[in-house]
Amino acid sequence: QVQLVESGGGLVQAGDSLRLSCAASGRTSSVYAMGWFRQTPGKEREFVAAITWSGSSTDYAASVKGRFTISRDHAKNTVYLQMNSLKVEDTDVYYCAAGPSWYVGDRRQSRGYAYWGQGTQVTVSP
């Protein structure tokens, strides 16, 4: 089992920045990819960004590329999502996920991840 705990959500204005954190614990030896997804109630979970457990590779959704940065702190077993130039449409619940595969068909889909955090709300006001 892998446990994931997110933090860092909140209410900000459009154009502001926010950093989300995801602390991983447990059987992290089974993890190859860490991802961030977001979800609006009633809609499917949307891929935001992913990073290999080693931190050597990253991937971003087109909607956030250039504004968001995913990174990894090895010492703290923590993955971060730095969100800059936030837009109202970035408002969502953000989830951290851990999975065994970097295959593109897996890392961009929620089904490619075995473990999920509880989610953290990000609200961007106009």
Side-chain angles (χ1 to χ4, degrees):
Q1 291 288 332
V2 175
Q3 294 78 42
L4 303 173
V5 179
E6 299 118 334
S7 60
L11 171 64
V12 296
Q13 291 188 321
D16 284 352
S17 298
L18 204 59
R19 189 178 79 161
L20 305 183
S21 300
C22 174
S25 61
R27 196 166 168 262
T28 56
S29 60
S30 66
V31 176
Y32 196 85
M34 295 288 294
W36 285 98
F37 285 74
R38 60 189 183 186
Q39 188 173 26
T40 299
K43 293 187 177 181
E44 289 190 4
R45 206 160 280 191
E46 176 191 14
F47 169 74
V48 176
I51 188 169
T52 52
W53 187 247
S54 67
S56 60
S57 298
T58 58
D59 188 21
Y60 296 92
S63 58
V64 306
K65 198 168 187 178
R67 299 189 298 122
F68 292 10
T69 302
I70 190 170
S71 62
R72 165 125 162 69
D73 184 324
H74 293 271
K76 296 182 179 179
N77 266 3
T78 298
V79 173
Y80 302 100
L81 185 67
Q82 177 67 43
M83 304 185 294
N84 299 331
S85 302
L86 280 162
K87 303 176 181 180
V88 172
E89 51 264 41
D90 293 319
T91 296
D92 251 329
V93 178
Y94 283 71
Y95 295 89
C96 174
S101 171
W102 188 244
Y103 173 61
V104 66
D106 292 329
R107 68 177 185 260
R108 287 181 165 234
Q109 302 291 330
S110 58
R111 65 171 183 265
Y113 295 84
Y115 304 101
W116 292 86
Q118 79 284 359
T120 186
Q121 176 72 46
V122 172
T123 302
V124 185
S125 63

